[in-house]
Amino acid sequence: MVSHVKPDGDTLGAGLALGIALKRIGKRVHYFQQDPVPRNLRFLPDALCVSRDVPADLPGDTLWVFCDMSDYSRAGEFLPKMQRENMLDIDHHLGNSHFGAFNFVIPTECSTGTAVMRLFREMRVEIDRDLATCLLTTIMTDTGGFMHSNTTPGVLELSAELMRAGADKEQITEEIFANKRIAATRLLGRVIDEMRFAHDGRYCYSHVDDAMLAQTGADGEDTEDVVNVLRGQEGVEVAALFKAFDGEIRVSLRSNGRVNLQAAAARLGGGGHFRAAGRTLYGPRDEAFAAGDGALSAEGL
Ligand code: AMP
Ligand code: MN
Ligand code: MN
């Protein structure tokens, strides 16, 4: 099971659910993830089995299952080279490159986890508490706790099914949306201080860098939700957070649904969804600001 860099609850929850189900039918399973499991996802079953090390004795017919990424490069540069025929791509991103020999890509799914639930139906997998916890985590992550527009009646029905199967919604809420570290809140204050507006107040952007992390004691994991605060300001249609850590600038984009951010991110070489997308840029911050503005303007901001 392969998850993407800077993992979230969807890529990891979907991979863990599949891995746990496959182990039950006697398959040998390993979890590859280049970055460590974020603090707030360590409660997931099997999270402690995840590693960037790949066993040396994998057979030639090993199936590499990529969850929640529009291209295999999102798995990171530590991923060993492999043949396309060994790749299964399970995803819900717009513009998925169908990089696998097998591609199970359903852009109308709210999360990769709900695509995995479809597979489970076909495989007649019984959803127990562990699987339910992983799967409800994928839904709650990618719907922003049932707030984003991908929260359809069907998604709520699936979530109810998972709660009945034993998923602890309170725990997931606490781990993913509450439990903020004080350092994270101090960092949020700094990002808000740096907030700027453009396009008649329809665009809000800000930035974080290594110095701001050092001043507040926060780290990259503490920045994951910050862009949503920018998006939540009155009149804002698009928000961008430019995260300049370790010599690169990761841009996180969020929209209220008017501007297509997958298209804007694709102009910069990145990807994502209509309302949430991203890209890693290199070079000075002001150039990144200009590139972001250019791509968003071209998409009608
Ligand atoms: P983030 O802002 O990091 O939470 O990412 C929002 C969405 O954009 C997610 O669906 C990511 O998969 C996608 N995304 C972020 N960065 C990139 C990138 N460099 N290339 C392709 N997709 C990305
Ligand atoms: Mn993801
Ligand atoms: Mn996802």
Side-chain angles (χ1 to χ4, degrees):
M1 305 300 131
V2 182
S3 33
H4 62 66
V5 291
K6 312 286 178 214
D8 55 38
D10 189 24
T11 191
L12 186 56
L16 293 173
L18 257 179
I20 291 167
L22 289 172
K23 281 200 272 187
R24 266 195 220 145
I25 56 170
K27 301 290 178 188
R28 177 180 168 196
V29 171
H30 294 276
Y31 303 102
F32 171 88
Q33 183 175 275
Q34 178 160 318
D35 294 329
V37 175
R39 285 182 290 277
N40 65 357
L41 295 175
R42 288 187 199 151
F43 74 100
L44 289 173
D46 260 9
L48 298 178
C49 305
V50 175
S51 136
R52 71 157 54 158
D53 300 322
V54 175
D57 65 339
L58 292 181
D61 63 350
T62 299
L63 183 66
W64 296 74
V65 185
F66 295 76
C67 287
D68 194 43
M69 58 197 102
S70 45
D71 192 71
Y72 69 88
S73 59
R74 293 275 295 146
E77 62 273 18
F78 282 74
L79 182 77
K81 294 279 166 286
M82 69 196 68
Q83 301 289 320
R84 185 185 177 119
E85 64 190 31
N86 296 54
M87 296 162 110
L88 165 60
D89 158 22
I90 306 178
D91 188 35
H92 68 136
H93 284 85
L94 294 173
N96 179 292
S97 65
H98 287 235
F99 56 86
F102 314 99
N103 301 283
F104 192 66
V105 178
I106 313 178
T108 51
E109 291 292 338
C110 74
S111 70
T112 300
T114 56
V116 167
M117 281 182 87
R118 285 177 184 265
L119 293 177
F120 282 176
R121 286 236 155 81
E122 297 295 321
M123 295 161 65
R124 301 188 191 284
V125 170
E126 196 194 319
I127 296 188
D128 66 1
R129 169 184 265 273
D130 279 356
L131 294 184
T133 298
C134 293
L135 294 169
L136 189 58
T137 298
T138 74
I139 294 176
M140 289 178 65
T141 300
D142 276 22
T143 61
F146 305 117
M147 288 209 282
H148 299 335
S149 60
N150 55 358
T151 313
T152 59
V155 166
L156 294 174
E157 279 156 6
L158 288 178
S159 303
E161 193 185 309
L162 295 170
M163 284 178 73
R164 287 196 191 98
D168 186 345
K169 178 182 162 296
E170 286 308 295
Q171 185 191 18
I172 299 170
T173 305
E174 186 67 17
E175 298 280 0
I176 298 190
F177 299 104
N179 259 342
K180 293 290 176 229
R181 305 197 308 163
I182 294 163
T185 306
R186 288 196 207 289
L187 180 73
L188 175 63
R190 295 279 290 111
V191 173
I192 291 171
D193 284 340
E194 297 290 319
M195 189 163 68
R196 301 179 206 179
F197 291 88
H199 295 266
D200 299 321
R202 284 177 282 112
Y203 178 42
C204 176
Y205 65 104
S206 188
H207 67 97
V208 286
D209 57 25
D210 294 303
M212 288 158 76
L213 295 185
Q215 287 155 10
T216 55
D219 64 18
E221 282 178 32
D222 294 314
T223 67
E224 290 303 318
D225 278 353
V226 170
V227 66
N228 297 315
V229 176
L230 308 181
R231 212 319 269 139
Q233 300 308 298
E234 188 177 22
V236 171
E237 293 182 343
V238 175
L241 182 64
F242 294 79
K243 309 182 208 182
F245 313 135
D246 309 325
E248 54 182 38
I249 304 183
R250 278 178 66 214
V251 190
S252 277
L253 299 167
R254 295 293 183 275
S255 147
N256 72 344
R258 192 178 69 78
V259 177
N260 180 351
L261 297 183
Q262 187 269 335
R267 287 178 183 274
L268 301 170
H273 306 280
F274 197 100
R275 292 176 182 237
R279 171 63 176 154
T280 303
L281 297 171
Y282 302 89
R285 188 172 73 210
D286 284 340
E287 281 178 21
F289 285 165
D293 196 293
L296 292 166
S297 300
E299 291 303 323
L301 176 63

